[in-house]
Amino acid sequence: MMSSSLASSTNQRLDAARRLLVQSQQEEGEWLMNSYESSAVFQLRSGLNGLLQEVMASYNLSCQVDIDVMVRASEERGIAVPVLLELMQLKSSRQSWLSQLLDTFDAALECRAANQAYSAAGNVELIGRGSDAGSSTKHILSSLTELVLRFREDAAEY
């Protein structure tokens, strides 16, 4: 029952992000569009945390909801958690959707311009900038949703 509740919470966050992105496309003012998109980024980050909580419950990990900490905890127990290993690879790649999500969320949280988060990244499309009409954020939503579904499918097999 616990994992069902965790899955439901993750689903709600992903659905909220999707709805906010749809709403952002219906707005005329750029400031409001950016506001919806920033809210979607918050929901996506929360959805990532929801996935991590599902992983913790499935693998009986007792640690912080943090990718690095969870990988160390699983290694200490001698178990390989494929979704955590994939997240570590994504996190280490500056061009990945996960790095973009984490950087954009941090920039919004710290009240700094999102492009400062990418000053060393070159031609990376920025999330929340408004110039890509939400397509980067939609890509993150799609990628995170796919990862959640794959994790649940793999977990159901065991």
Side-chain angles (χ1 to χ4, degrees):
M1 191 68 144
M2 175 86 132
S3 63
S4 174
S5 173
L6 291 174
S8 177
S9 179
T10 304
N11 292 346
Q12 289 172 9
R13 299 296 189 254
L14 296 176
D15 185 55
R18 182 189 58 78
R19 290 172 187 253
L20 285 162
L21 289 172
V22 167
Q23 188 67 35
S24 76
Q25 299 307 301
Q26 298 171 355
E27 293 302 327
E28 296 291 324
E30 188 170 325
W31 70 270
L32 194 51
M33 182 179 81
N34 288 340
S35 180
Y36 280 122
E37 199 168 339
S38 292
S39 297
V41 167
F42 170 81
Q43 293 296 332
L44 289 168
R45 183 62 176 95
S46 184
L48 174 63
N49 281 356
L51 170 62
L52 294 175
Q53 290 174 351
E54 289 181 51
V55 171
M56 284 176 50
S58 292
Y59 287 90
N60 294 318
L61 298 175
S62 297
C63 58
Q64 292 177 332
V65 179
D66 177 271
I67 297 167
D68 298 316
V69 172
M70 292 174 69
V71 167
R72 281 193 300 275
S74 66
E75 288 172 348
E76 287 171 4
R77 292 193 51 211
I79 56 177
V81 182
V83 71
L84 290 178
L85 299 176
E86 182 175 347
L87 286 169
M88 283 297 290
Q89 286 181 328
L90 288 167
K91 188 177 173 187
S92 69
S93 170
R94 190 85 174 115
Q95 303 294 324
S96 74
W97 63 265
L98 179 60
S99 289
Q100 289 181 12
L101 172 61
L102 296 174
D103 288 347
T104 303
F105 178 80
D106 289 344
L109 189 64
E110 295 168 2
C111 295
R112 59 181 164 85
N115 61 358
Q116 291 176 0
Y118 291 97
S119 60
N123 284 344
V124 176
E125 275 298 312
L126 303 181
I127 305 164
R129 177 174 70 179
S131 66
D132 66 356
S135 63
S136 295
T137 311
K138 289 176 189 170
H139 172 70
I140 290 172
L141 171 62
S142 172
S143 299
L144 180 55
T145 300
E146 178 186 320
L147 183 62
V148 167
L149 294 174
R150 277 190 290 119
F151 165 72
R152 290 178 184 164
E153 185 177 305
D154 291 346
E157 291 178 8
Y158 295 100

